[in-house]
Amino acid sequence: MKPVLRSVVLLLVLAVRAPVHAADPSGAEIVKRSLDAFYYAGSDMRARVTMKLINPQGQVRSRDMTMLRLNTGTSGDQRYYIYFHAPADVKGTAFLVWKYPAKEDDRWIYVPALKLVKRIAADDKRSSFVGSDFTYEDVSGRDLEDETHTLLRSEDLAGRPVYVVESKPKAAEYARRISWIDRERWLPLKEEYQDARGATMRVFTADKVEQADKHWTVTARTMKNLQSGHRTEVVFQEIAYDMGLRPDVFTERYLRDAPAQWVR
Amino acid sequence: MASAQADSPSLDGFVQSHVAVRTQRGACTPAVECDTPWAELRGQLKAEGRNASGSAAFLGRFDLLHDAVLNDTRIETRELYGDLVSDKASLRAGRQVITWGVGDLLFINDTFPKDWVAIFTGRPMQYLKLGSDALKLNAYPGPLTLELVAADFRPDRLPDVRRFIFSDPLPAGLPRRTGSPGHGTGELELSLKASGYLGNWELAGYASRSHYRSPAWRVAGGELVGRFPRLRTWGASLTGPVGQGVLSLEGGYYDSRDDRAGSDPAVDNSQLRALAGYTRQLWEDGTLGLQLYGERMRDYDAYRASLPAGFPAKDRLRTVATLRFTQLFAHQTVTFSLFGFFGLSERDRYLIPSLRYAVDDHLWAEVGINYFAGNRNGMFGALRDNRNLYLTVRYAF
């Protein structure tokens, strides 16, 4: 783009953007509400999740899972259970995560062919979730204090009013994350992960937002790696909240024997 | 919400080709399959299902196998069991794979049957474990998990003279016969595990009454008779997070019931075994695991005194270190793995580098090497004429 043209575009963009008002919540408050809405909705949740891993040539690999989540206590601790229905070679494999906001999560994997439960050592910030463009942290959430947050502006994104927030991590693979957060539903509608030079590495988009059991939920989402051209599309179905999941579902016993009531 | 509808039984499986090629043939004799110690075409079918409430379930896993080396076609029942499940307990009856303990390819309190030929010829890891024909009762009193296994004896699958080259200290030319423990009350194998969590540390205690799964040979009436000596074990394990990784500790005592004095050269001496392991992620998709393992004979003087002339003496303390490095590439479609056993006391090595490529959700191929080296009197060095290169291709459906 020519410099003059870029300036004109920039001016136009600025003209339609509302400035940050004193009455607006702080960046940290917005991100806190967004994390609550996106990762902590309800006291528990179940969803059937399909994940498509699509390489730049358009070849697709699929993962079909049941995900269970339970919020435990008020300090932000959570438990996740993820069971793989497909592909055939990993069917029956299950993950268990005990998530703690302030320290390393505990994580286990169950390997059905060996009837083996193994504790896994993995850094959730840097580990891809089953080869997808999502990290473990993208799946189970990051901590508010991992980043410093600044409200940049308010604007509209595809017809929704949003806050645009910049988050700078203390230590991560990205240098800066820009989030477009719905001002009414508090869900992130778009996120850009940028490197130190300001180039966008990954883009998250909420492709479909629906209400399930009173909770606004991102039911279709995409994470695209702009550097590799690889992308991952995720669809949530059969979503249910506040079912009264018991904590013992999130133990080694049910990692070995999938809880029939919830995993179908 | 959960609907009250039973899962219809599901059927999956794969077809697999696996070939292991010996990389050096100098030591071959006509009696041994020299070029390809293992070549197979295998089809597996797995059927599983359960009722709506999950209180009853079954699983069957059958392999139809053509062994091109021995020109033999057979059906193997890998697993076939039924489950009854309640809130407080569950029962599994039938052929089932059981894996206990916290070691990585090192076993102390897991005395269940294993297929060592499978690992030495590079077959996928699931073939390391053989199913036990067993009744397994799990109970969940309070925070504890209790597991009780009553099993029929099943021996390990050990390297045999048709596929492997190793020096055999037993007299040549005598017919050989093994006698398995029967079904008498004293011969039923019992294993018990009690485990629980203390915070996020898992503690477990184990005890078993079983048998050594490799035979002790004796000359009797003009033939070599192999028996499986009685074994009792007890031990404990502990695993939990330390720093950015996972620490695992395990120990156990092997009570050799048929040689408590340690003076029978045919039967293993009683031993104390222990291991310590630590695994952590190094960088994105790269993980390193290290283990240190030791086994110490209880009655070493009696062992030395009873050892027949010409047999190499084992050390009182055998120590092994292991390394596992795994690196995933290309959205986890390519896996490089290196597993190494390093015999510290026996000065031998066994290295298994491998590379796997998952072409799509159905098809993967893996190439790897089983590299044995070092002192021929060591456990791994004894196999050094069996270095092989393997290729596995699997199509899953």
Side-chain angles (χ1 to χ4, degrees):
Chain A
M1 216 183 277
K2 289 195 173 83
V4 175
L5 183 60
R6 191 158 54 197
S7 305
V8 170
V9 170
L10 199 63
L11 278 173
L12 284 171
V13 167
L14 287 176
V16 298
R17 282 173 176 172
V20 175
H21 294 293
D24 284 328
S26 73
E29 283 163 358
I30 294 165
V31 172
K32 171 78 174 68
R33 292 200 65 166
S34 173
L35 290 172
D36 284 348
F38 196 47
Y39 294 108
Y40 286 87
S43 59
D44 59 40
M45 181 200 190
R46 175 193 182 274
R48 184 79 178 226
V49 178
T50 51
M51 193 174 251
K52 287 193 188 321
L53 285 59
I54 304 165
N55 75 9
Q57 291 74 44
Q59 288 162 328
V60 179
R61 292 185 293 143
S62 296
R63 304 283 173 269
D64 179 9
M65 304 162 257
T66 292
M67 185 172 95
L68 304 175
R69 164 172 63 75
L70 176 69
N71 301 346
T72 55
T74 51
S75 56
D77 288 8
Q78 286 184 321
R79 296 191 176 177
Y80 284 83
Y81 175 98
I82 296 167
Y83 176 92
F84 285 82
H85 300 275
D89 218 30
V90 299
K91 184 181 171 187
T93 302
F95 283 112
L96 177 63
V97 181
W98 290 6
K99 182 183 155 55
Y100 315 103
K103 58 173 183 163
E104 291 292 318
D105 300 345
D106 289 313
R107 240 184 278 162
W108 295 262
I109 184 172
Y110 172 63
V111 184
L114 290 169
K115 301 284 185 280
L116 171 70
V117 168
K118 197 168 70 167
R119 196 180 259 272
I120 41 182
D123 176 345
D124 60 356
K125 290 177 176 54
R126 291 180 296 175
S127 300
S128 154
F129 179 74
V130 298
S132 74
D133 296 283
F134 292 90
T135 62
Y136 272 89
E137 197 182 58
D138 295 329
V139 175
S140 64
R142 51 182 63 77
D143 307 332
L144 184 67
E145 287 80 23
D146 284 355
E147 299 164 310
T148 52
H149 311 278
T150 311
L151 173 59
L152 298 181
R153 59 184 182 266
S154 300
E155 63 185 33
D156 278 4
L157 181 74
R160 296 293 312 163
V162 293
Y163 290 117
V164 183
V165 178
E166 176 193 69
S167 303
K168 288 187 169 168
K170 286 156 190 163
E173 298 295 277
Y174 56 92
R176 184 168 178 258
R177 179 166 69 103
I178 308 292
S179 307
W180 283 257
I181 294 167
D182 192 305
R183 289 202 316 247
E184 291 159 6
R185 300 169 184 165
W186 299 101
L187 291 171
L189 301 181
K190 183 179 172 188
E191 291 178 333
E192 288 184 0
Y193 295 79
Q194 299 177 351
D195 66 15
R197 290 168 300 142
T200 303
M201 303 151 62
R202 295 193 302 158
V203 177
F204 165 90
T205 49
D207 306 320
K208 197 169 182 186
V209 177
E210 295 172 279
Q211 214 165 12
D213 291 347
K214 298 182 297 191
H215 298 283
W216 285 102
T217 306
V218 177
T219 56
R221 66 193 70 185
T222 301
M223 184 73 86
K224 181 160 189 184
N225 185 322
L226 299 185
Q227 291 166 335
S228 69
H230 197 283
R231 72 179 194 275
T232 302
E233 298 177 359
V234 181
V235 173
F236 279 41
Q237 290 167 303
E238 302 172 27
I239 301 161
Y241 288 97
D242 303 313
M243 303 160 293
L245 282 180
R246 296 195 324 248
D248 70 356
V249 167
F250 300 85
T251 58
E252 188 174 324
R253 174 186 180 182
Y254 290 102
L255 193 56
R256 292 174 181 275
D257 293 312
Q261 188 184 359
W262 310 114
V263 176
R264 283 164 291 116
Chain B
M1 288 300 294
S3 66
Q5 155 195 343
D7 287 358
S8 56
S10 68
L11 206 60
D12 324 272
F14 60 76
V15 287
Q16 172 179 298
S17 154
H18 179 83
V19 180
V21 179
R22 195 183 305 274
T23 55
Q24 61 207 48
R25 288 157 201 177
C28 282
T29 62
V32 72
E33 185 57 49
C34 186
D35 294 346
T36 49
W38 196 276
E40 68 167 37
L41 192 61
R42 184 186 293 265
Q44 178 173 95
L45 269 185
K46 183 185 78 175
E48 61 185 324
R50 62 184 178 191
N51 67 352
S53 66
S55 63
F58 78 95
L59 184 145
R61 197 192 286 272
F62 307 96
D63 282 15
L64 174 63
L65 165 68
H66 177 65
D67 179 339
V69 174
L70 305 181
N71 197 20
D72 176 31
T73 301
R74 60 185 179 270
I75 289 177
E76 286 181 354
T77 302
R78 303 286 313 168
E79 293 176 273
L80 179 60
Y81 58 75
D83 284 340
L84 290 174
V85 181
S86 80
D87 249 18
K88 291 275 170 239
S90 62
L91 180 73
R92 175 165 291 175
R95 176 162 291 188
Q96 52 189 298
V97 170
I98 303 167
T99 304
W100 284 0
V102 298
D104 183 4
L105 291 183
L106 292 172
F107 300 97
I108 297 177
N109 293 296
D110 181 338
T111 60
F112 301 107
K114 295 166 196 82
D115 184 346
W116 297 104
V117 176
I119 177 166
F120 295 154
T121 56
R123 269 184 287 157
M125 200 47 69
Q126 70 192 80
Y127 286 97
L128 171 64
K129 299 289 292 195
L130 292 169
S132 300
D133 295 323
L135 267 175
K136 183 168 189 275
L137 178 70
N138 290 4
Y140 308 95
L144 280 182
T145 297
L146 299 178
E147 298 168 60
L148 176 66
V149 180
D152 205 6
F153 174 79
R154 198 172 180 200
D156 280 358
R157 203 165 284 162
L158 297 165
D160 60 276
V161 293
R162 287 174 301 182
R163 301 179 202 266
F164 286 84
I165 303 166
F166 49 91
S167 79
D168 185 355
L170 298 169
L174 289 182
R176 297 183 182 194
R177 176 169 71 80
T178 54
S180 287
H183 305 267
T185 46
E187 288 165 315
L188 186 72
E189 301 202 327
L190 294 173
S191 307
L192 179 70
K193 176 182 174 185
S195 56
Y197 279 85
L198 208 62
N200 48 11
W201 284 79
E202 189 189 13
L203 291 95
Y206 311 83
S208 79
R209 189 188 77 179
S210 64
H211 300 82
Y212 285 100
R213 300 196 188 276
S214 55
W217 296 98
R218 252 178 250 284
V219 180
E223 59 177 0
L224 274 167
V225 178
R227 286 183 320 105
F228 297 92
R230 289 178 301 155
L231 171 67
R232 284 192 186 171
T233 68
W234 52 89
S237 69
L238 177 67
T239 179
V242 168
Q244 305 275 305
V246 173
L247 179 73
S248 300
L249 300 171
E250 186 171 352
Y253 182 68
Y254 274 48
D255 181 3
S256 184
R257 299 290 291 185
D258 290 343
D259 184 23
R260 298 200 87 175
S263 56
D264 183 343
V267 178
D268 275 0
N269 213 312
S270 295
Q271 284 178 335
L272 202 59
R273 297 185 175 194
L275 72 82
Y278 187 70
T279 303
R280 66 162 291 177
Q281 183 175 336
L282 297 177
W283 47 71
E284 185 176 358
D285 287 336
T287 308
L288 179 70
L290 299 169
Q291 295 180 111
L292 199 59
Y293 167 85
E295 54 186 41
R296 189 178 190 278
M297 269 191 236
R298 195 187 63 176
D299 303 301
Y300 191 68
D301 295 341
Y303 161 77
R304 287 302 293 260
S306 67
L307 191 71
F311 278 71
K314 295 180 203 164
D315 299 324
R316 178 193 290 259
L317 177 67
R318 176 171 174 261
T319 50
V320 175
T322 76
L323 171 152
R324 181 188 288 279
F325 172 70
T326 308
Q327 180 72 52
L328 307 172
F329 302 95
H331 289 272
Q332 304 186 0
T333 55
V334 176
T335 307
F336 170 77
S337 165
L338 173 66
F339 193 91
F341 290 98
F342 301 91
L344 303 178
S345 58
E346 297 187 332
R347 301 182 319 285
D348 58 353
R349 293 172 296 288
Y350 173 23
L351 306 178
I352 317 167
S354 69
L355 193 65
R356 179 184 291 204
Y357 175 50
V359 180
D360 57 30
D361 281 339
H362 302 288
L363 182 67
W364 60 257
E366 179 173 312
V367 59
I369 294 170
N370 287 291
Y371 184 84
F372 306 93
N375 176 13
R376 281 186 185 275
N377 292 330
M379 186 180 279
F380 308 116
L383 291 166
R384 55 183 289 174
D385 293 323
N386 301 284
R387 291 171 190 167
N388 62 77
L389 173 78
Y390 69 84
L391 172 69
T392 313
V393 180
R394 178 184 289 188
Y395 182 85
F397 53 84

